[in-house]
DNA sequence: TTGCGTGCAAACGCTTTGCATATTA
DNA sequence: TAATATGCAAAGCGTTTGCACGCAA
């Protein structure tokens, strides 16, 4: 025992991360955090649920959704909307953009240095810039020629 | 009679547009096209359905969805994914980006000249660039201060 | 006429909700 | 112990599907 699992953040690190964001570290939240924050990755609620199910962790569907919403609100993860039927939760908080592979359904990170957003229209007074998403869609085989 | 309704494209123009894209101009498709292409706008399936319902046009839900999917496939409209629970169909085919107002749920166009996407990672062989979406999220009142 | 399009309602899949139980601080 | 979180199952909501009928060419 004691060897670290690359797919699972150590418990104490997960707990520390929750504390940082003023979230009380319940058992289930810690389990979910261990999965999400094991590395930079993009997971859907469904994927997280099944990763948890593969282990002893029995966390209910409702709790997974509640927790993901909470994490997104508090800023631990970033919601990425790509597929109308599925949200991705991005554990990489560094500003970056995404390449979405339509054939595999996977997301790939893109260094924001490669993208310049300049000179946006002025925002209406009292409104806040919540974020800029750049999503590059990449598809399977080239159709026709 | 004869005066043009700014919310409705004339029938003959709608039919012409469908012909351009090799889509047979059925009654329902023409009605849907008249609504969508009356001007540049972003409509959800639900909105289109209710705009049609306000008029005599009785077009079923399934037909609206079928038709929107068809239009998107054929390139008459562009699908924009913003809200996981809702697709928008954009009748503006000119390349452009979007500001999404989270409070009103509305989309606003952004001139692509304001955004530079440079120097993207090389695409894997055999893959095609399907499109680049830039979505700028703008929220209600500034929270805290 | 003959295939394609349409309408209806039921099915689907992801997400949320209601409420009783259990856990946290 | 007072507040918050969890689990379960049912409800919600946008979208898709199956199938019989109807229209376009």
């Amino acid at each position: 025992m004691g060897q670290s699992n690359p797919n699972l953040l150590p418990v104490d690190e997960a707990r520390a991360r929750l504390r940082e964001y003023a979230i009380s570290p319940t058992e289930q939240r810690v389990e979910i955090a261990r999965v999400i924050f094991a590395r930079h990755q993009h997971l859907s609620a469904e994927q997280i649920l099944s990763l948890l199910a593969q282990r002893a962790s029995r966390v209910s569907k409702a709790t997974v959704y509640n927790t993901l919403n909470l994490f997104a609100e508090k800023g631990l993860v970033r919601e990425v909307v790509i597929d109308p039927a599925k949200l991705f939760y991005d554990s990489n908080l560094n500003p970056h953009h995404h390449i979405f592979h339509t054939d595999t359904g996977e997301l790939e990170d893109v260094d924001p240095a490669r993208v310049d957003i300049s000179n946006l229209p002025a925002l209406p007074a009292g409104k806040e810039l919540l974020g800029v998403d750049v999503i590059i869609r990449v598809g399977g085989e080239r159709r026709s020629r």
Side-chain angles (χ1 to χ4, degrees), chain A:
Chain A
M1 70 204 88
Q3 69 233 26
S4 69
N5 180 337
N7 297 314
L8 230 36
L9 193 70
V11 172
D12 54 328
E13 292 182 29
R15 297 180 67 89
R17 168 111 42 155
L18 296 186
R19 288 238 167 67
E20 260 177 60
Y21 287 85
I23 292 174
S24 56
T26 66
E27 226 178 88
Q28 292 85 344
R29 289 172 179 173
V30 170
E31 282 308 300
I32 293 169
R34 295 184 68 193
V35 169
I36 295 178
F37 300 116
R39 70 178 90 87
H40 282 174
Q41 59 188 328
H42 311 93
L43 296 172
S44 66
E46 191 192 1
Q47 290 174 314
I48 292 166
L49 201 48
S50 76
L51 286 171
L52 290 167
Q54 282 169 28
R55 310 175 50 241
S57 327
R58 278 161 293 85
V59 180
S60 77
K61 191 187 287 195
T63 297
V64 169
Y65 280 102
N66 285 338
T67 301
L68 290 172
N69 286 336
L70 179 70
F71 284 8
E73 255 171 48
K74 296 281 192 168
L76 282 78
V77 297
R78 178 177 162 197
E79 279 185 350
V80 184
V81 183
I82 307 282
D83 184 312
K86 197 177 294 184
L87 277 177
F88 289 88
Y89 293 89
D90 189 343
S91 61
N92 181 0
L93 289 182
N94 303 319
H96 65 283
H97 303 300
H98 296 103
I99 293 186
F100 179 56
H101 296 265
T102 59
D103 42 3
T104 62
E106 278 170 11
L107 276 184
E108 182 188 338
D109 286 351
V110 173
D111 182 342
R114 293 169 181 271
V115 178
D116 268 335
I117 313 276
S118 41
N119 168 36
L120 288 180
L123 295 182
K127 304 257 184 143
E128 184 184 14
L129 180 63
L130 298 179
V132 177
D133 282 328
V134 176
I135 295 161
I136 298 149
R137 277 162 222 277
V138 170
E141 294 311 309
R142 210 175 298 275
R143 38 188 171 177
S144 68
R145 82 189 50 254

